[in-house]
Amino acid sequence: MNWTRRKFLNAGIMTTLGGVWLSSGFEKLSFFTTENKLPGGFWPVMMTPYKEDLTIDYDGLKRLIRWYEDSGATGLFANCGSSEMYDLNNQERIALTKFVVENSKLPVVSTGTFSDQIGENIDFIKKIHATGVQAVVLIPSVMVRKDENNMALLHSFENIMKETGDIPLGIYECPSPYKRLIGPDILDQLQKTGRFLYFKDTTCDAELVAQKIAIASNSDLGIYNAHSPDVLHSIRHGGAGMSCIAGNFYPELFSYLWRNGRHKEASASVKKVNDFILSNKSVIGKKYAIGAKYFMNLRGLDLRVNSRKNVSALDDGDKARLDTLWKGLTALGKEVDIDIVNYN
């Protein structure tokens, strides 16, 4: 990735938040920006395979990376919510990210904020960046407490940017430890700095996502929708792609929508694929972490169906629903000519 220097000249614009804005003088900071955005398309939120003793299974992780690549992913979000990032320690977060970077041909982003202390975040962002990722992702709901206002959040963003040089950044509206959305006004300020390349949106509001896409349209920032029912709407309105948990069941479908679903009129095949995603939203959401690994095993990934989270085991009913989902996915692939990756 080639980097060229530019100054941001317009960061100190007052927003509609009653006087919340990046501080005056912020525009004097010198930033770097990339000449090329991150690739559009499907960016899986990666899972973490474990051994029986719940240490990271790196052999399994290598198979998982291959599966994402074979399924048409264009980038990878490692060390994220689906990776059980809050249940990893800092050494594991770094090692996991480094392994993904070194064992994939795709660009990788990874989370770098696990504290509400700015200094701790700055230090860890630098360590994650050193693994070779394309951007380090910031989580607003970790950076500030729930009772703190948007001024405190912008203060945290500003100090992180001041102390992390030219490190490219991303944002993830993670619903844990609490859900904190980035409104269009704050997004408008942040994207103008030229530092942000990746935004995982969890708004679950198609029109608001479209508004954010419009704000970012003339910048390097790509909006990747995490809400699978709205992904077709967002990519048809210029969104950079999708980054949702359903991709840990059928990533090929999101790759297909990216290739074929951005036209003004949706084809019959695109509608069938989108309808399949919509109709199975509740199936994939139940006992998600272990349910996804069970489903991956139906496809030949050979992973242990376990988690560091305190989740109950899959019962016969859970397995039957996932078995039926696999049969339905296989049939859909044949019907609309999508290569459903199967290593069995």
Side-chain angles (χ1 to χ4, degrees), residues 25-321:
F26 190 71
E27 70 277 4
K28 296 179 182 178
L29 291 174
S30 186
F31 297 130
F32 285 81
T33 183
T34 177
E35 294 177 344
N36 300 300
K37 297 180 180 182
L38 294 175
F42 179 59
W43 284 63
V45 284
M46 299 184 66
M47 306 205 77
T48 300
Y50 297 114
K51 298 178 181 179
E52 188 173 352
D53 63 359
L54 292 181
T55 58
I56 297 174
D57 176 8
Y58 285 101
D59 289 335
L61 182 56
K62 186 176 289 188
R63 294 193 296 275
L64 187 61
I65 292 168
R66 176 192 169 198
W67 177 60
Y68 290 134
E69 292 176 342
D70 290 349
S71 300
T74 53
L76 299 172
F77 187 176
N79 183 36
C80 60
S82 291
S83 310
E84 302 186 22
M85 61 182 180
Y86 294 133
D87 295 285
L88 305 174
N89 60 43
N90 278 351
Q91 291 73 28
E92 289 173 319
R93 291 163 181 157
I94 293 169
L96 179 77
T97 301
K98 189 171 188 291
F99 185 90
V100 174
V101 170
E102 292 178 348
N103 287 275
S104 177
K105 61 186 178 183
L106 300 177
V108 179
V109 299
S110 175
T111 305
T113 52
F114 291 93
S115 171
D116 60 4
Q117 299 300 305
I118 293 173
E120 291 180 18
N121 284 332
I122 289 169
D123 179 66
F124 196 66
I125 287 166
K126 292 177 180 178
K127 291 177 180 177
I128 287 291
H129 178 249
T131 66
V133 295
Q134 266 62 43
V136 181
V137 178
L138 314 183
I139 300 180
S141 61
V142 171
M143 293 163 59
V144 293
R145 298 186 306 272
K146 189 174 183 178
D147 62 348
E148 292 186 281
N149 60 23
N150 282 321
M151 181 69 81
L153 179 61
L154 280 177
H155 176 73
S156 182
F157 272 120
E158 183 170 351
N159 279 282
I160 284 173
M161 285 187 279
K162 283 180 179 178
E163 299 300 326
T164 53
D166 61 351
I167 294 176
L169 302 172
I171 300 171
Y172 171 20
E173 293 176 328
C174 184
S176 177
Y178 68 95
K179 190 165 184 175
R180 190 175 194 119
L181 300 177
I182 298 295
D185 33 23
I186 292 182
L187 180 67
D188 185 45
Q189 293 188 73
L190 295 176
Q191 61 88 17
K192 286 175 180 176
T193 66
R195 289 288 297 278
F196 293 90
L197 303 184
Y198 174 91
F199 189 101
K200 181 179 175 182
D201 192 285
T202 67
T203 302
C204 302
D205 181 325
E207 295 306 320
L208 185 54
V209 174
Q211 186 179 350
K212 292 182 181 182
I213 291 169
I215 288 170
S217 62
N218 293 319
S219 72
D220 293 328
L221 177 62
I223 307 295
Y224 297 82
N225 200 334
H227 188 50
S228 57
D230 295 336
V231 295
L232 188 57
H233 182 274
S234 63
I235 62 175
R236 292 178 68 187
H237 284 77
M242 53 286 271
S243 196
C244 43
I245 65 170
N248 280 316
F249 291 82
Y250 24 76
E252 303 92 341
L253 301 191
F254 295 99
S255 299
Y256 179 86
L257 289 182
W258 176 251
R259 293 193 306 270
N260 301 283
R262 289 177 284 159
H263 305 295
K264 185 176 181 180
E265 297 295 331
S267 68
S269 294
V270 165
K271 289 179 180 178
K272 285 180 181 178
V273 170
N274 197 52
D275 286 346
F276 183 90
I277 292 170
L278 293 174
S279 64
N280 288 293
K281 184 175 182 292
S282 62
V283 177
I284 67 166
K286 187 174 183 182
K287 299 179 183 177
Y288 163 63
I290 58 174
K293 289 178 180 177
Y294 176 88
F295 197 78
M296 290 171 178
N297 284 348
L298 295 177
R299 309 184 58 161
L301 270 75
D302 190 25
L303 305 176
R304 288 175 180 81
V305 183
N306 59 4
S307 170
R308 290 187 180 180
K309 296 182 179 297
N310 185 22
V311 293
S312 57
L314 297 176
D315 58 32
D316 290 342
D318 297 325
K319 293 177 182 178
R321 281 188 289 272

Side-chain angles (χ1 to χ4, degrees), residues 10 287 338:
N10 201 25
K287 299 179 183 177
I338 298 175

